[in-house]
Amino acid sequence: MGTSSAEREAMARALALAATPGVPFGPNPRVGCVLLDDDGRVVAEGLHRGAGTAHAEVDALSQVDDALLRQGLTAVVTLEPCDHTGRTGPCSEALLTAGVRRVVHALPDPTEAAGGGARRLREAGVEVECGLMAEEATRLNRGWLHGLRHGRPFVTWKLATSLDGRSAAADGTSRWVSNAASRRDTHRLRGLADVMMAGTGTVLTDGPRLNVRDEHDRPLPRQAQPLRVVVGERPLPGDAAVLDDSAATWVTGTRDLSAVLTTLFEQGRREVFLEGGPTLAGAFLAAGLVDEVVAYVAPLLIGDGIPAAQGLPFTSITDALRLDVLDVTTIGAAPETDVRLTMRPHEKEA
């Protein structure tokens, strides 16, 4: 049958609902739902607000009166309705009970426990379409999907570098390599993660707060902050900025990256934003634990200085880690225009 323009607009809205700021991250996917009538008008919206709360479909259905339900609605959902009973009942059953006649979802649920909702709906006579805005839905839940495949959080390494690849000058100064617009953009990306990570060397040398701040440099509410994680064995002074009360902090006391990521995964953390420390960045890269790179490249030459990553085990150009460029964007106005590169490590053919 295909999907309509109203359903596409509804899916875009459902994705926006799923990404609502302040909704806690965790081991569950982020899901939004929009209900449409026969004329393509929105009659209700819903979203999942975290473990134990109503699923997006049930949240939306709870806002519709019986008269509308009797007409038979279309549910537009970012993820296949679940077909299992956990803390809440199956969304497939809720949709059938409500008399929904058509379901459009972006992604199939890949989990053995919750998958199968689409099949159950079809068997009951409901029209089901899958794949609308699948790319956008995948990006929304990349941490959750990555965790299902790899059993660890998705790691994004952010760096700010000069054109000659330096994160700081020879005397150690680095404020600021990137421009103000890039720094604001960095806080936007921080807010999309549930972990902010740096090494003890960076924390001791630069004194970063590692929190998410608004355009006026004010920290967002504590409940909206990622967990701050400091990797390394050196102790931190009690007055370290990263230990303030603006966000929770875990000082790992270890350099074992796999153990740190395993612990974070077990805690329900799915998105790590790695920022700060060429030594830590080099260790993550060498271990193959970086899934995305966001580089802010400033149009300046520093000369001798500190490289963006240290300790990489490459001695030949044939050994180099190659990246696929996903996006190139200029940020800021001349004469301080940075270039933001978003990249993924290139997957070598088997």
Side-chain angles (χ1 to χ4, degrees), residues 282-302:
F284 264 91
L285 289 164
L289 295 174
V290 171
D291 304 298
E292 184 171 88
V293 178
V294 178
Y296 296 90
V297 182
L300 76 161
L301 300 171
I302 291 179

Side-chain angles (χ1 to χ4, degrees), residues 151-172:
R152 66 166 178 83
F154 186 95
V155 177
T156 297
W157 173 42
K158 173 263 172 181
L159 67 150
T161 179
S162 64
L163 194 59
D164 49 354
R166 304 299 179 181
S167 62
D171 63 359

Side-chain angles (χ1 to χ4, degrees), residues 237-304:
D239 61 352
V242 77
L243 299 177
D244 67 15
D245 62 0
S246 66
T249 303
W250 174 35
V251 182
T252 66
T254 181
R255 291 180 289 180
D256 187 332
L257 303 183
S258 293
V260 169
L261 291 179
T262 296
T263 299
L264 292 171
F265 187 79
E266 291 172 348
Q267 292 175 353
R269 310 283 176 172
R270 294 296 182 267
E271 290 265 1
V272 171
F273 197 67
L274 175 62
E275 185 180 358
T279 301
L280 185 62
F284 264 91
L285 289 164
L289 295 174
V290 171
D291 304 298
E292 184 171 88
V293 178
V294 178
Y296 296 90
V297 182
L300 76 161
L301 300 171
I302 291 179
D304 290 340

Side-chain angles (χ1 to χ4, degrees), residues 36-68:
L36 303 176
D37 65 13
D38 280 342
D39 295 321
R41 292 186 296 246
V42 175
V43 298
E45 299 178 339
L47 69 149
H48 183 50
R49 294 176 174 83
T53 66
H55 286 193
E57 300 93 319
V58 174
D59 185 34
L61 289 169
S62 69
Q63 304 166 40
V64 183
D65 61 34
D66 291 342
L68 273 174

Side-chain angles (χ1 to χ4, degrees), residues 147-230:
L148 293 176
R149 292 191 295 268
H150 301 285
R152 66 166 178 83
F154 186 95
V155 177
T156 297
W157 173 42
K158 173 263 172 181
L159 67 150
T161 179
S162 64
L163 194 59
D164 49 354
R166 304 299 179 181
S167 62
D171 63 359
T173 55
S174 62
R175 294 173 69 96
W176 295 98
V177 172
S178 57
N179 64 30
S182 292
R183 296 194 292 276
R184 287 193 297 271
D185 192 58
T186 294
H187 281 281
R188 177 186 65 84
L189 294 179
R190 286 181 176 185
L192 299 177
D194 50 2
V195 174
M196 271 293 305
M197 184 178 291
T200 52
T202 293
V203 170
L204 291 169
T205 302
D206 297 339
R209 285 178 282 176
L210 294 182
N211 55 18
V212 182
R213 301 188 292 278
D214 63 19
E215 64 273 18
H216 303 293
D217 204 38
R218 297 175 301 206
L220 298 187
R222 184 180 173 94
Q223 64 269 24
Q225 294 285 349
L227 172 69
R228 299 180 293 197
V229 176
V230 182

